[in-house]
Amino acid sequence: MSDLNRLVLTGRLTADPDLKYTQNGRARLRFDVAVNRRWVNPESGQLEEEVTFLPILVWGKQAENCAAYLRKGRQVAVDGRIRVRSFTNQNGERRRTTEVIAQTVHFLGGRPAADEPTVEAPQSEEGSDGHADVPPEEEVPF
C-alpha cells in the first residue's frame, strides 16, 4: 500500500497561466496560486492573515482547458499531490522545489468580466414617431 499524498486547496491565480508543450506534444501548464489563511491571534485578539504562494502544474487536455479559461485573479480549487524535486542550476548548485501536481482544477467564482463576450448594442436612431427603433426582444440574439 502506498502512502497518502493528497492536497485540496482554493486560491487565486497570481498571474496568467503559462502553457507549453513537451517535445512529445503533451500540454503542460504552470500557474501560481495565492492561498490566504486567516486566524485570530490568541494573545492579541487581532485578526491575522498569511498568504502562501504555491506553484501548480497541470498536464494534458486539462492544461489546455485551464489555459483557455483561467486568468490572473481567477479563483480555483485544485485537487492534487505535492511533489518535491531537485535539480542543478546553471551555477552547478543543487536546488529543491516544491510544486502541486493537479489532478483536477475547478474554476470558481464565475467568469471574470474581462472574459465575458461583449456584444455591442446596435446603433439606432429614433423613428419618426419619437420612439427608439429597437427590435423586439424575440429578435435579440442573446
Side-chain angles (χ1 to χ4, degrees):
M1 181 171 135
S2 64
D3 294 328
L4 182 62
N5 179 0
R6 184 161 186 181
L7 171 81
V8 177
L9 61 90
T10 62
R12 294 189 181 275
L13 274 70
T14 60
D16 289 344
D18 181 28
L19 177 66
K20 293 184 178 177
Y21 289 89
T22 65
Q23 292 178 347
N24 297 334
R26 188 172 182 206
R28 184 188 81 189
L29 182 86
R30 286 187 171 278
F31 58 90
D32 289 336
V33 171
V35 179
N36 293 316
R37 176 179 170 253
R38 293 184 182 144
W39 74 95
V40 176
N41 184 327
E43 295 177 9
S44 67
Q46 298 290 318
L47 184 64
E48 296 191 16
E49 184 172 329
E50 171 185 81
V51 181
T52 302
F53 298 94
L54 293 168
I56 310 293
L57 182 62
V58 186
W59 291 95
K61 184 66 177 170
Q62 185 170 222
E64 294 174 330
N65 288 336
C66 287
Y69 295 105
L70 294 180
R71 297 290 176 265
K72 179 181 178 180
R74 181 81 187 258
Q75 188 177 27
V76 294
V78 176
D79 182 356
R81 62 182 170 87
I82 293 177
R83 179 175 76 175
V84 178
R85 62 183 175 91
S86 60
F87 61 96
T88 305
N89 68 10
Q90 295 174 341
N91 299 330
E93 300 168 343
R94 201 82 177 134
R95 299 285 184 186
R96 292 177 60 160
T97 184
T98 302
E99 57 195 1
V100 175
I101 310 299
Q103 183 175 358
T104 57
V105 178
H106 299 274
F107 307 157
L108 303 177
R111 182 182 291 192
D115 286 350
E116 294 288 336
T118 57
V119 178
E120 293 185 23
Q123 297 208 357
S124 62
E125 296 179 16
E126 286 189 0
S128 60
D129 58 353
H131 293 90
D133 187 19
V134 178
E137 284 189 32
E138 297 86 44
E139 294 179 17
V140 178
F142 50 89

